[in-house]
Amino acid sequence: MRILITGAAGFLGSHLSDRFIAEGHTVVGMDNLITGNMDNIAHLMGHERFSFMKHDVSNFIYVPGEIDAVLHFASPASPNDYLEYPIPTLKVGSLGTHNTLGLAKVKGARYLLASTSEVYGDPQVNPQPETYWGHVNPIGPRGVYDEAKRFAEAMTLAYQRYHGLETRIVRIFNTYGPRMRLNDGRVVPNFIHQALTGQPLTVYGDGSQTRAFQYYSDLVEGIYRLLHSDEDLPVNIGNPNEMTILDFAHAVVEIARSDSEVVFVQPKDDRFTDDPKQRRPDITKAKKVLDWEPKVGLADGLAQTLDFFRDKV
């Protein structure tokens, strides 16, 4: 297959590029580098089955030749990023989705949208199944990301129903691993950076909010299976092992063998408005239709991620 991956220089896009190259496919990577980093794909440059186009998918997309699949992963994905770039975030979820869907339609390609657990907002149901419609504040600071992804899902299903396009939607839960940016504002790189530099780990509020963390390789496996499946409605891909942020902070300190203490802070900026109190995927559907479940435990995944970041701090 010849596959277009948008957001290819990002954390997930670069790992997906690696996987499809390893499976023998040809990858066209596309990124405007607003949050992506060419270092993530430097090892692929010059590979006979990889090419790169610097382009903003919110504008018209032209890719010569045949395309068998389009994977739309372009978007700021952390609170720091989408609060700094609110309008580009809305545009890549709306115009970018429209443009990539249009390209897939013209090329006769299968389409896979990277959606997010954020479509569930601050959930009133736990764990969150794909049938849950969510609890989202559309005009809050985080709404630029949440609603962009919800619109993207609606647009994707409209192309499926109206144009008969083959579409897939993955709802991605908290994912971590090598190639994350230390300064992207998410809890995993924040804690790792603090632990490796001897700073206190800053837990917001009382640390009782929960998350469920999956290692990137498990996510990539789930996405690969989803693209090749017949499932045309959203599928959660995440690790159901829910834990409090406070427990997660202590796990990072232990695995990093750090002397850092854990402290509590009361956030006052927009990053934490409407911050979900709990997050845990129901992966019943992924188990059934993809025969998928996460394999990498937190201790192993964090150890590998810490090894990657030791040279970055």
Side-chain angles (χ1 to χ4, degrees):
M1 298 173 70
R2 185 169 185 251
I3 298 165
L4 173 68
I5 300 178
T6 72
F11 164 48
L12 295 180
S14 63
H15 285 300
L16 282 167
S17 297
D18 285 345
R19 175 62 184 271
F20 281 95
I21 291 289
E23 295 285 351
H25 304 294
T26 297
V27 172
V28 178
M30 184 174 287
D31 205 303
N32 68 349
L33 303 179
I34 188 172
T35 60
N37 189 330
M38 289 299 294
D39 288 347
N40 291 336
I41 52 173
H43 62 288
L44 292 175
M45 302 302 286
H47 193 288
E48 63 180 3
R49 286 186 282 108
F50 180 81
S51 59
F52 179 76
M53 301 173 67
K54 184 180 179 183
H55 182 71
D56 183 347
V57 297
S58 298
N59 300 316
F60 175 78
I61 302 170
Y62 173 73
V63 179
E66 294 183 359
I67 294 289
D68 300 297
V70 175
L71 279 64
H72 184 31
F73 277 73
S75 178
S78 74
N80 278 11
D81 291 340
Y82 51 74
L83 291 171
E84 182 175 359
Y85 304 109
I87 295 172
T89 299
L90 285 162
K91 289 174 71 174
V92 76
S94 54
L95 299 174
T97 301
H98 191 197
N99 289 334
T100 49
L101 282 163
L103 179 69
K105 177 174 174 286
V106 167
K107 300 289 188 181
R110 181 171 291 189
Y111 185 87
L112 189 149
L113 172 70
S115 188
T116 172
S117 60
E118 295 299 324
V119 300
Y120 300 121
D122 187 5
Q124 297 171 312
V125 171
N126 196 49
Q128 296 85 57
E130 291 87 350
T131 52
Y132 178 52
W133 290 358
H135 178 228
V136 176
N137 177 6
I139 59 172
R142 302 171 71 100
V144 297
Y145 183 65
D146 301 356
E147 296 295 1
K149 290 297 189 179
R150 287 161 69 94
F151 176 89
E153 287 197 12
M155 176 69 84
T156 299
L157 266 296
Y159 263 72
Q160 179 197 119
R161 291 165 179 151
Y162 186 77
H163 292 299
L165 189 68
E166 281 196 69
T167 64
R168 308 289 180 263
I169 298 175
V170 55
R171 288 180 179 162
I172 299 170
F173 282 70
N174 292 72
T175 306
Y176 69 97
R179 301 182 193 165
M180 295 188 85
R181 290 173 19 242
L182 271 175
N183 63 345
D184 82 355
R186 284 182 277 197
V187 65
V188 175
N190 273 1
F191 282 177
I192 286 177
H193 182 258
Q194 291 166 339
L196 292 179
T197 56
Q199 301 177 57
L201 272 67
T202 49
V203 171
Y204 301 120
D206 62 4
S208 63
Q209 62 272 42
T210 67
R211 296 294 184 268
F213 300 97
Q214 72 176 331
Y215 194 57
Y216 82 92
S217 60
D218 284 330
L219 173 63
V220 168
E221 178 65 27
I223 292 167
Y224 192 84
R225 293 188 186 198
L226 178 59
L227 179 67
H228 292 92
S229 77
D230 295 324
E231 179 55 50
D232 59 6
L233 292 175
V235 178
N236 290 337
I237 298 292
N239 192 321
N241 292 326
E242 183 181 24
M243 65 191 308
T244 67
I245 292 298
L246 179 58
D247 287 342
F248 180 66
H250 287 301
V252 171
V253 169
E254 179 180 353
I255 294 168
R257 296 186 177 89
S258 172
D259 295 326
S260 295
E261 60 179 339
V262 176
V263 300
F264 299 94
V265 298
Q266 299 303 318
K268 297 179 180 179
D269 61 49
D270 283 346
R271 283 182 300 164
F272 311 102
T273 302
D274 303 323
D275 187 39
K277 306 298 185 299
Q278 55 188 18
R279 179 73 79 230
R280 181 188 176 199
D282 182 330
I283 62 168
T284 303
K285 186 175 184 180
K287 287 181 177 180
K288 180 179 179 180
V289 302
L290 305 179
D291 190 27
W292 175 92
E293 60 184 320
K295 304 293 186 185
V296 181
L298 185 67
D300 289 341
L302 272 180
Q304 294 181 57
T305 306
L306 281 158
D307 285 345
F308 172 81
F309 279 121
R310 288 185 201 281
D311 295 332
K312 309 292 182 183
V313 298

